[in-house]
Amino acid sequence: MAPCQTLFQAQRRSLPGKLSHLKTKAKFGPSPSGRARPPVRPPQRRPPAGAAVSRRAPEGRRWPTGPSCTSSQRDGSGGQLGQCAPGLSVNAPMEPGSSSTEKFYRIPKGKGPHSVGCTDLMTENAVEGSFLRLYYPSCSGTDNEEAPWIPDKEYYQGLSDFLNMYRVVGERLFQYYVGSVTCPAKSNAAFKLGEKYPLLIFSHGLGAFRTIYSAICIEMASQGFVVAAVEHRDESASATYYCKKKSISEPQEESTSGLEKEWIYYRKLKAGEEERCLRHKQVQQRAQECIKALNLILKINSGEEVTNVLNSNFDWNSVKDSVDTSRIAVMGHSFGGATVIESLSKEIRFRCGIALDAWMLPVGDDIYQNSVQQPLLFINSEKFQWADNILKMKKLSSSDTNKKMITIKGSVHQSFPDFTFVSGGLIGRFFKLKGEIDPNEAIDISNHASLAFLQKHLSLKKDFDQWDSLVDGIGPNVIPGTNIDLPPAEPE
C-alpha cells in the first residue's frame, strides 16, 4: 500500500457525527528521498467526545464468523494484550453526501473466463508459519458468500497506527467507510478441477496486508492463475496475527479450539534508526516468506497433507495436481516490488517477476551484481516515482531486453491497492487515493500488461499477447520507460 504521499485529512462534510470537527493528517511510508517521515499527530491530546466505536453489528446484520480462535494483540513495543473485536458486515457502503439513490463503490470483478474463490491458510501455531490468502478459479454457480475485504477490526487499529491516527478515531472512520465492503470472490468456494494453473505469489506493500490487493489477485485468478497473497510478519504490515495455544490459566470462551490470535502491528522507526538497514532486513524476511509460501502450495499440490489452523471448510485435497509447477512467477507492489526483486535473486523457480511501483530502498547492493537473471517488468505510476528510485531500476535492467519498464499516465501510488475503488470520488480526493486516470482503466492497463508479460515468459497458451504493445509502453495512457527527468548518463 505504501510508501506513498497520501494526505489523510478529514473534512466536515465527509465525517459522521461529532468527528466532523477533527482534522487528522498522516502520510503513508517514507518520503520519495527514502528518509523516514516524522510522525504527524492530531493537535488534540484526546479524541473528541462521541468518537467511541460501537462493537455491535448494524441492525439486521450479523458479524461473519471468523477462525475459531480468540484474539490477543501486541504492538511493536510489546503492548498489552486485548480482546478480540467482532468482524464485518457484507454490503458495500454508500458515499456520504450522495442522493437517496444508492451509489455503491465496489472492487471490480475478474474479467476472465473463470469464477473466483478465495480462502485463508495459516500453518503452525507460531509466528514462523505461513499466512496467505489463496485466490483460485472456482466452480461457477456456488451460493457461497463473498469474502469480507478487511476481515478483522484489528486491521483498522493497525492502519490507524500506521497513519498516526488515534485508534478510536481511525477505527470509526474505517468502519464507517469500508466496514461493509466485500471482495468479489466467493469464500471457500469449490476449486475448479480439470486444468493445471500457473502459480503467482503476491507480496503486499508497506502498511498493507494480504486482502487489499484483491482487484489484482481476483483478475489473475479469473484468467486462470492460482494466486497466493502472502501476509508478511516482518512488522511491515499494518497488522497481522498468528494463532497460538491458550495458556492453561486463561478462561476458555465459546471457542473450544484452544487457540487465540496473537496480533502483531506495524513497527515504526525508532529515534535515530536508519531506515535502509531496517527495510533491508525486512525485505530479506519477506523474500523467505514468499519462498515458504511457494513451497507450501507445491506441497499441497503434491498431495501432502497440510494443517490449516484457521479451520476453514475449504477442501485442500482438491488442489492436488492442479498447479503447473513449471510456470511460477512473483508479483508485488511498492515494498512488495522490492520483495519481488529479492525473491527473484534467491529462488530460480520464480521464472519472472512483476514489480508494481517498486520502492527500491530496501534492495541490497549485492542484488545489482547480476543476481537477478529472470525477466522483470516494472509498472510505475506517474506521480510516485523519483530519479534515484528509477535509476536503481535501470541499474537492474539496463542491459537486459527481458527487463521492461512502463508508466501509467495519470496514475498514483494508490492506483494499485483496492482503496482506490471503494473510496468514491469525494473520499478519493480527500485521501488522494485516485489519480487523474479512471481507477478501472489504470488497473486494466496494469493487469493486461502483466498478463501479456506472464504469457511470454511462462510460455502460456492464452490470448494475453493481444496486450503485448502495453509491455512496450504503447497504447492509451501508457508510456515506455519513465516520465521522470533523469540526469545524463556518466561516460564509462
Side-chain angles (χ1 to χ4, degrees):
M1 186 160 96
C4 74
Q5 287 187 302
T6 298
L7 182 66
F8 246 73
Q9 185 172 17
Q11 296 195 6
R12 178 176 297 274
R13 67 180 183 274
S14 70
L15 296 182
K18 295 183 180 180
L19 290 178
S20 61
H21 66 278
L22 178 68
K23 292 187 178 180
T24 304
K25 283 187 178 181
K27 293 186 178 181
F28 292 82
S31 64
S33 67
R35 298 178 63 84
R37 299 187 190 277
V40 183
R41 304 185 186 280
Q44 296 171 282
R45 295 183 62 83
R46 296 185 180 182
V53 178
S54 171
R55 294 189 177 275
R56 294 186 299 170
E59 186 177 355
R61 301 179 187 172
R62 290 184 178 180
W63 300 116
T65 303
S68 57
C69 57
T70 57
S71 177
S72 61
Q73 59 193 37
R74 64 176 181 173
D75 57 22
S77 58
Q80 293 183 342
L81 300 180
Q83 194 59 37
C84 182
L88 301 174
S89 51
V90 295
N91 295 317
M94 183 174 68
E95 184 178 28
S98 62
S99 67
S100 58
T101 301
E102 292 189 348
K103 183 177 182 181
F104 292 104
Y105 297 94
R106 286 186 55 84
I107 297 164
K109 295 181 178 180
K111 297 178 174 64
H114 300 281
S115 299
V116 178
C118 69
T119 190
D120 289 330
L121 173 61
M122 183 185 294
T123 64
E124 304 176 29
N125 300 327
V127 70
E128 293 79 18
S130 290
F131 189 19
L132 58 87
R133 173 163 285 191
L134 194 76
Y135 300 85
Y136 53 87
S138 67
C139 297
S140 58
T142 177
D143 58 357
N144 297 54
E145 291 185 350
E146 290 188 347
W149 181 49
I150 300 181
D152 294 280
K153 281 192 175 180
E154 283 82 357
Y155 288 107
Y156 300 152
Q157 296 171 6
L159 287 168
S160 301
D161 291 348
F162 181 70
L163 296 168
N164 293 303
M165 300 171 69
Y166 286 117
R167 279 189 175 186
V168 69
V169 175
E171 196 172 323
R172 172 82 176 239
L173 290 172
F174 283 113
Q175 179 64 57
Y176 185 80
Y177 288 119
V178 300
S180 56
V181 173
T182 59
C183 70
K186 297 298 182 70
S187 181
N188 297 317
F191 192 92
K192 186 177 181 180
L193 304 176
E195 294 185 44
K196 281 187 175 290
Y197 304 107
L199 175 62
L200 185 61
I201 306 296
F202 192 93
S203 173
H204 64 73
L206 190 73
F209 38 90
R210 74 190 186 283
T211 69
I212 66 171
Y213 294 89
S214 63
I216 294 172
C217 296
I218 288 171
E219 175 61 15
M220 295 298 156
S222 80
Q223 299 288 356
F225 287 80
V226 170
V227 184
V230 177
E231 188 158 291
H232 293 294
R233 290 171 170 165
D234 61 332
E235 297 180 301
S236 68
S238 59
T240 186
Y241 69 93
Y242 63 95
C243 289
K244 68 172 186 177
K245 292 181 180 179
K246 291 180 180 178
S247 62
I248 299 176
S249 60
E250 292 182 21
Q252 298 293 314
E253 300 179 359
E254 295 180 6
S255 170
T256 58
S257 67
L259 297 176
E260 65 177 355
K261 294 179 183 178
E262 177 77 7
W263 284 90
I264 305 168
Y265 292 100
Y266 174 77
R267 174 165 111 57
K268 297 180 181 179
L269 285 172
K270 300 173 183 176
E273 184 176 19
E274 184 183 354
E275 181 162 26
R276 191 170 188 271
C277 292
L278 172 63
R279 303 308 180 200
H280 180 58
K281 180 180 178 181
Q282 287 176 322
V283 80
Q284 291 176 309
Q285 178 177 333
R286 284 166 146 259
Q288 290 301 326
E289 288 171 339
C290 288
I291 295 168
K292 189 181 295 185
L294 166 60
N295 291 334
L296 177 61
I297 300 303
L298 295 185
K299 183 178 179 180
I300 294 170
N301 183 67
S302 69
E304 293 187 49
E305 187 172 340
V306 171
T307 300
N308 184 8
V309 301
L310 299 181
N311 296 323
S312 73
N313 59 4
F314 179 74
D315 180 11
W316 287 97
N317 291 324
S318 64
V319 183
K320 181 182 177 183
D321 295 327
S322 293
V323 175
D324 188 337
T325 59
S326 67
R327 292 180 168 91
I328 301 168
V330 60
M331 185 179 193
H333 173 241
S334 195
F335 202 172
T339 307
V340 165
I341 295 165
E342 192 77 24
S343 299
L344 289 172
S345 74
K346 294 180 182 300
E347 182 51 74
I348 196 64
R349 289 177 295 176
F350 291 126
R351 286 181 54 180
C352 61
I354 300 171
L356 308 174
D357 230 9
W359 180 38
M360 301 297 288
L361 178 73
V363 177
D365 293 336
D366 58 312
I367 301 298
Y368 297 98
Q369 307 302 317
N370 298 318
S371 61
V372 178
Q373 303 297 321
Q374 303 97 314
L376 176 60
L377 174 62
F378 291 102
I379 302 179
N380 294 335
S381 71
E382 182 180 4
K383 304 297 185 181
F384 172 69
Q385 293 296 335
W386 63 102
D388 184 60
N389 211 52
I390 294 292
L391 288 172
K392 289 178 179 178
M393 295 180 194
K394 286 185 169 291
K395 192 174 180 181
L396 270 177
S397 59
S398 59
S399 59
D400 189 343
T401 57
N402 285 325
K403 292 184 172 65
K404 300 277 190 176
M405 182 191 301
I406 62 173
T407 299
I408 301 174
K409 293 194 291 185
S411 61
V412 295
H413 198 54
Q414 298 301 312
S415 294
F416 300 93
D418 296 336
F419 279 106
T420 192
F421 302 107
V422 302
S423 57
L426 180 65
I427 305 305
R429 289 195 299 272
F430 294 159
F431 285 59
K432 294 195 175 176
L433 303 175
K434 297 178 184 292
E436 297 166 3
I437 189 173
D438 178 85
N440 289 281
E441 184 176 357
I443 207 69
D444 281 349
I445 292 171
S446 177
N447 286 336
H448 291 165
S450 297
L451 288 166
F453 185 81
L454 291 168
Q455 170 156 326
K456 179 178 180 179
H457 296 291
L458 297 182
S459 304
L460 302 176
K461 293 181 172 64
K462 301 282 187 179
D463 63 352
F464 305 150
D465 55 350
Q466 64 182 296
W467 300 305
D468 278 350
S469 61
L470 292 176
V471 181
D472 294 319
I474 301 171
N477 291 315
V478 63
I479 60 173
T482 181
N483 62 303
I484 301 298
D485 292 329
L486 301 175
E490 296 181 1
E492 297 183 0

